[in-house]
Amino acid sequence: METNILIVGTGGIGGYFGGRLQEAGATVSTVSNSDFETVKQYGYDIKSIYGDFTFKPVEVVKKANDFSKKADYLIVALKVLPEIDTISLIKDAVSTETTIILIQNGINIEKHIYQQFPNNEIISAIAYIGVRKTDPGKIIHQDNGKLIIGKYPYGKSCIARKFADLFENTHIPCKVVENIQYYRWLKLVWNIPYNSVSVLGNHADTKSIMDNEYSLNLIKKLMQEVANCAEKDGYKLDDNVIQENLDFTSTLSPYKTSMLIDFENNRKMEIDAILGNTIELADKLNVNIPHIKTIYALLKLVNRNKVKLASDFSAK
Amino acid sequence: METNILIVGTGGIGGYFGGRLQEAGATVSTVSNSDFETVKQYGYDIKSIYGDFTFKPVEVVKKANDFSKKADYLIVALKVLPEIDTISLIKDAVSTETTIILIQNGINIEKHIYQQFPNNEIISAIAYIGVRKTDPGKIIHQDNGKLIIGKYPYGKSCIARKFADLFENTHIPCKVVENIQYYRWLKLVWNIPYNSVSVLGNHADTKSIMDNEYSLNLIKKLMQEVANCAEKDGYKLDDNVIQENLDFTSTLSPYKTSMLIDFENNRKMEIDAILGNTIELADKLNVNIPHIKTIYALLKLVNRNKVKLASDFSAK
């Protein structure tokens, strides 16, 4: 039986995972916009560390409503920005049988989708990958490719299991968990400090941040505040989580965060998905996070004159 | 009787105030370094809103030791940076009769001078002025020119009064106060928030900062933390101080702070004089200032690859 997948948001993330799913035998279509003509004719040209390949979607449409099939899985790989109305971009392709999979950054980014489509299974997915679209139809995959997925808000899910099985024999390890929020918090422990400080620290790569005693100390405080939020939200992280993240980062080659790359390309940054939602939760849970609030305010100011969105509003 | 003045640090501030003092009848000499030859030959060419004039110092020397006279007043208009050893730059021109006048930014910037020269009167001075050196020997005075001066650490001072009297009939109102620290705190209420946020907010002028609800809110929190430090330090500021500073800033034409101008010119910023010393005091006084600490850490990171000092290490 055919597995029909529609991808909305075909930047690096959407294009790359779509290509891998097609390789694995699924029938994958895309909503493409800025590079519609190129993709319709040539598909996505993907340069990957595991070998280059072409991903030619079965259908390439300009909007969800033009999709002729019934999506078993609708993968959302859009950026999470106040300017992007995800619901209106996907709703015409969501049927009663459609599972919605969100491969996106941040915390509490599933809620409005969950409320809008109460009868659909929502799978929340976190990608650990270095991939980006460089030109229309051109994607470069540079590093990693792991997925962690789980039913939103939490729990066991046969559908998540079935979706993960599609990745068997691909280059994408896909782990299914019952407490995806825990993993979102875990990722924020790294994402909030490094993304923010790299942008606010005047184009600081990971090494510059780690080498400066003041920013290193700030990173630790930010991590602690994220861990405090997680704990009050019911997800106690391991006591070693801060030290492990610091140690891990020290082993990396000097590296620009994705938010810094957005900043340098004059693109809107995902400040609200990553920091704003954390602050909203912290206020609700009465957690004191002044360091995160300070960098959030500064990033909101920095974001003021970023006008470009990524092509197709896509992640990466 | 001749009043001999030596100015160390002849950027915009030192050059302009030196010129006004000479106009008023004092015998003014300068330690000039980067523009020694130009100044020795032509003096300082000063374009001022009150009319252009030339300030030709009586002596122009390369270092304090070369000064042939006895300084009644030694004016320090150097930037306050860890890299600048003020004491060694002035000590050869300080005699038992010399009054040292510090026209510099920040808080607690007098202490090491006071400890080094315990028998000399130290006058702490705050300048409210828009002036900068644009080229060797060229100074542009754009706005204002008020001085507030007082004996360090506090108290009445005939010498301060006498020095202020030199400015009579010049374009520089000079007010003598007995509690100069109070005025330093008062200036920090504006300086800490706007200088820092303008740099960290991606080249934000005052209007951009005021127009963004997030940065405006951060500005208020930073101001409140400065006011809390001042109060614990024994200087209770007026309850309206925050609202007055906000109202005042709203009336300004969009304006780049001096720290932002240093940043854009790749010059070291006076982060420790303005923020680091505030934090040191806050820690000693047990005042909680997490917002100031966050921006300080970020600015220390931003400052990491600023290598240029102002010419002659001078203020402005």
Side-chain angles (χ1 to χ4, degrees), chain A residues 201-202 214 291 294 300 304, chain B residues 201-202 204 214 291 294 300 304:
Chain A
N202 195 25
Y214 300 94
H291 298 84
T294 305
K300 289 294 273 187
R304 75 189 181 286
Chain B
N202 195 28
Y214 300 94
H291 298 84
T294 304
K300 288 294 272 187
R304 76 191 180 286

Side-chain angles (χ1 to χ4, degrees), chain A residues 5-20:
Chain A
I5 299 177
L6 179 67
I7 298 181
V8 182
T10 45
I13 297 260
Y16 180 75
F17 284 110
R20 291 296 177 203

Side-chain angles (χ1 to χ4, degrees), chain A residues 197 200-204 208-209 212 214-215 218 263 290-291 294-298 300-302 304-306, chain B residues 197 200-204 208-209 212 214-215 218 221 263 290-291 293-298 300-302 304 306:
Chain A
V197 173
L200 296 171
N202 195 25
H203 309 274
S208 305
I209 294 170
N212 183 292
Y214 300 94
S215 52
L218 176 59
F263 173 72
H291 298 84
T294 305
I295 59 172
Y296 175 67
L298 292 168
K300 289 294 273 187
L301 181 61
V302 170
R304 75 189 181 286
N305 42 22
K306 301 293 170 197
Chain B
V197 172
L200 295 171
N202 195 28
H203 308 273
S208 306
I209 294 170
N212 183 292
Y214 300 94
S215 52
L218 176 59
K221 285 181 181 168
F263 173 73
H291 298 84
K293 286 183 173 178
T294 304
I295 58 172
Y296 175 67
L298 292 169
K300 288 294 272 187
L301 182 62
V302 170
R304 76 191 180 286
K306 300 292 169 198

Side-chain angles (χ1 to χ4, degrees), chain B residues 16-17 19-25 50 145 147 163-174:
Chain B
Y16 180 74
F17 285 110
R20 290 296 177 204
L21 287 163
Q22 179 118 306
E23 246 186 2
Y50 300 126
L147 277 177
F163 181 73
D165 286 345
L166 291 175
F167 288 102
E168 228 178 13
N169 304 321
T170 71
H171 288 285
I172 298 171
C174 181

